Amino acid sequence: MAAKRVLLIQGHPDPGASHYCHALADAYAEGARDAGHEIRRVQVAALDFPVLRTREQWESTPPPESIRRCQDDVRWAEHLVIIFPLWLGGLPALLRAFLEQLFRPGFAFSGSLATGGTKGLRGKSAHVIITMGMPAPVYRWYFGAHSLRSLERNILKFCGIAPVRDTIVGSVESGGPERHGRWLEKIRALGRRAR
């Protein structure tokens, strides 16, 4: 398999290294590097950027330097990996604010897609990895994985990123070291394949 350029976006809003999302990100990066893939990493919690509050800000103001550098990383990447914990049924607020800054008009898309605009991130793929306290089947089948589907359809695919795959790591708090280790190995294997 040919080496890929992978951008790993760690979306946990707490920069402390003790969270399972950080361990999953490290496992993915380790597997990818071992297989010869190039990795760049963004830790959203370490970035300094304002929350967008108006449509005018989103459409017309230039992104801050921290976001501009992340956009350069997205341009560089062939594959994006986004890791985050499910909070209140959706993305943590800081990750959502980051994605609003990152996927701006003129970068992620241009013009009205309804009337012939262009998707600016075609040719890239993505994998979304979510951790949560509830069992994964409950989130996927009972709740319909609504926030995951929204991220995939309304943000990533909207900008041309496809295919978008996902992995749901459920019951994190009750999993125990053995189960956590099995998940780390699964994510490491995804990194080796740059999936």
Side-chain angles (χ1 to χ4, degrees):
M1 171 179 28
K4 283 188 180 175
R5 298 186 305 274
V6 179
L7 177 61
L8 180 56
I9 299 172
Q10 166 50 273
H12 198 295
D14 182 352
S18 62
H19 299 287
Y20 194 50
C21 284
H22 295 95
L24 293 170
D26 290 344
Y28 187 99
E30 179 183 302
R33 281 193 196 98
D34 288 350
H37 303 294
E38 292 180 68
I39 291 281
R40 290 186 185 176
R41 295 177 75 158
V42 170
Q43 186 167 320
V44 175
L47 299 176
D48 182 25
F49 60 88
V51 173
L52 292 169
R53 297 180 183 272
T54 68
R55 180 175 179 170
E56 181 184 7
Q57 287 177 331
W58 186 61
E59 291 179 340
S60 303
T61 61
E65 181 60 24
S66 61
I67 297 297
R68 194 199 57 71
R69 285 192 305 267
C70 292
Q71 289 176 334
D72 289 343
D73 288 339
V74 171
R75 284 186 192 95
W76 167 86
E78 298 169 281
H79 183 63
L80 308 178
V81 178
I82 304 171
I83 301 176
F84 64 92
L86 189 74
W87 281 16
L88 291 176
L91 282 71
L94 186 66
L95 177 60
R96 178 68 190 203
F98 169 76
L99 295 176
E100 288 173 357
Q101 281 278 13
L102 185 68
F103 292 114
R104 299 266 203 119
F107 168 70
F109 62 94
S110 60
S112 168
L113 296 182
T115 58
T118 58
K119 297 182 177 193
L121 301 177
R122 287 187 188 274
K124 299 177 188 303
S125 58
H127 197 120
V128 178
I129 301 171
I130 306 176
T131 64
M132 63 190 63
M134 77 177 88
V138 172
Y139 175 71
R140 193 178 291 279
W141 305 116
Y142 181 77
F143 290 105
H146 60 286
S147 57
L148 171 61
R149 288 188 6 230
S150 177
L151 171 60
E152 291 177 346
R153 179 188 61 232
N154 302 341
I155 299 175
L156 300 174
K157 290 180 181 178
F158 179 82
C159 299
I161 299 171
V164 179
R165 296 176 178 87
D166 61 74
T167 298
I168 301 173
V169 182
S171 304
V172 171
E173 287 91 359
S174 59
E178 186 176 322
R179 185 170 181 276
H180 286 177
R182 286 195 304 270
W183 268 113
L184 290 172
E185 189 47 49
K186 288 178 186 178
I187 300 303
R188 195 172 287 113
L190 286 175
R192 285 192 287 271
R193 293 179 292 149
R195 291 285 304 247

